[in-house]
Amino acid sequence: QKEVEQNSGPLSVPEGAIASLNCTYSDRGSQSFFWYRQYSGKSPELIMFIYSNGDKEDGRFTAQLNKASQYVSLLIRDSQPSDSATYLCAVNPGDAGGTSYGKLTFGQGTILTVHP
Amino acid sequence: DAGVIQSPRHEVTEMGQEVTLRCKPISGHNSLFWYRQTMMRGLELLIYFNNNVPIDDSGMPEDRFSAKMPNASFSTLKIQPSEPRDSAVYFCASRRQGDTGELFFGEGSRLTVL
């Protein structure tokens, strides 16, 4: 079982719709969770992070975390063609003994296409 | 502020040659990470440093790979000898311990081994 799993897609949604991206992780002790966006040929850039169970909203983006189910999701409201990219879920295993130093384990990414 | 700076951006070499990739982290960041990205395996962590000390190199695929961080502003990833299966995009990322945990990525070095 992979440590961080995502549906590779591609996920195609019409402009203006809600895009829902999902991620599961295997390490129950994981502490923090990140969503990165990567445009083709570019480097990953952070969209959101979440530490606590529940929802966290930032503009058109909402991250949702359920630690009991080991599940993280990202909702993109009012999707735009400029949102078309690969979305990477990343997990920090936590600072057990202070040894993780913030290393992130990434999922394979979900390709999102928003069509006009 | 300058971001993470990597060089070269593109490298094409022949099998058996030595390859050296370079990274300058963001000033003030004390953790540095080397990742490799391929279509098949996604983003894989190779090695990371904290305060210039290698913490975990379990992701380094083989002895052909080595990494150093001689000071807080410079790191290298070396492959010797290179093989076609090493072809990938290599990313360097940095963060400041105690911050939100966000990794800041460089633009990557695209390596092609013929």
Side-chain angles (χ1 to χ4, degrees):
Chain A
Q1 181 187 6
K2 292 183 180 177
E3 293 181 56
V4 181
E5 295 210 44
Q6 297 181 252
N7 188 328
S8 62
L11 174 65
S12 182
V13 301
E15 184 174 356
I18 296 175
S20 178
L21 304 162
N22 305 314
C23 172
T24 58
Y25 59 95
S26 60
D27 184 350
R28 187 169 288 278
S30 297
Q31 299 290 319
S32 49
F33 308 85
F34 301 78
W35 283 100
Y36 280 78
R37 177 176 62 199
Q38 186 175 25
Y39 292 113
S40 180
K42 301 296 186 181
S43 59
E45 55 180 346
L46 183 71
I47 299 176
M48 292 189 68
F49 62 87
I50 186 167
Y51 297 156
S52 304
N53 278 328
D55 295 359
K56 179 181 179 182
E57 186 174 318
D58 183 0
R60 296 186 296 112
F61 299 94
T62 299
Q64 299 174 317
L65 173 61
N66 183 326
K67 289 187 177 180
S69 300
Q70 296 175 241
Y71 176 88
V72 194
S73 66
L74 179 70
L75 300 178
I76 306 175
R77 289 182 300 281
D78 188 23
S79 296
Q80 301 297 310
S82 58
D83 294 327
S84 298
T86 298
Y87 288 80
L88 300 165
C89 173
V91 176
N92 182 324
D95 283 327
T99 58
S100 79
Y101 296 104
K103 74 174 185 179
L104 297 184
T105 300
F106 285 82
Q108 285 278 88
T110 298
I111 299 171
L112 172 66
T113 301
V114 181
H115 52 86
Chain B
D1 288 342
V4 176
I5 299 173
Q6 291 188 246
S7 65
R9 293 292 313 280
H10 301 274
E11 174 92 4
V12 180
T13 190
E14 293 188 347
M15 183 173 62
Q17 296 298 306
E18 177 179 296
V19 173
T20 299
L21 307 178
R22 298 172 177 80
C23 175
K24 177 180 169 57
I26 294 173
S27 178
H29 284 194
N30 56 349
S31 294
L32 182 141
F33 304 79
W34 283 101
Y35 283 87
R36 176 172 69 175
Q37 187 173 40
T38 61
M39 289 291 291
M40 289 296 296
R41 301 175 68 90
L43 261 174
E44 301 174 280
L45 178 63
L46 300 178
I47 184 171
Y48 65 99
F49 296 82
N50 190 65
N51 293 327
N52 313 336
V53 176
I55 302 301
D56 185 353
D57 66 354
S58 61
M60 297 285 258
E62 305 173 27
D63 291 346
R64 298 185 295 106
F65 286 70
S66 61
K68 295 182 180 179
M69 191 165 186
N71 57 62
S73 59
F74 184 66
S75 177
T76 59
L77 178 67
K78 186 176 294 187
I79 309 172
Q80 166 64 18
S82 59
E83 297 183 3
R85 59 190 167 133
D86 301 331
S87 298
V89 179
Y90 291 81
F91 286 104
C92 176
S94 70
R95 70 178 286 265
R96 185 188 351 248
Q97 196 169 0
D99 282 357
T100 59
E102 175 183 3
L103 295 188
F104 293 82
F105 283 82
E107 295 191 345
S109 295
R110 180 175 294 276
L111 173 65
T112 302
V113 183
L114 303 175

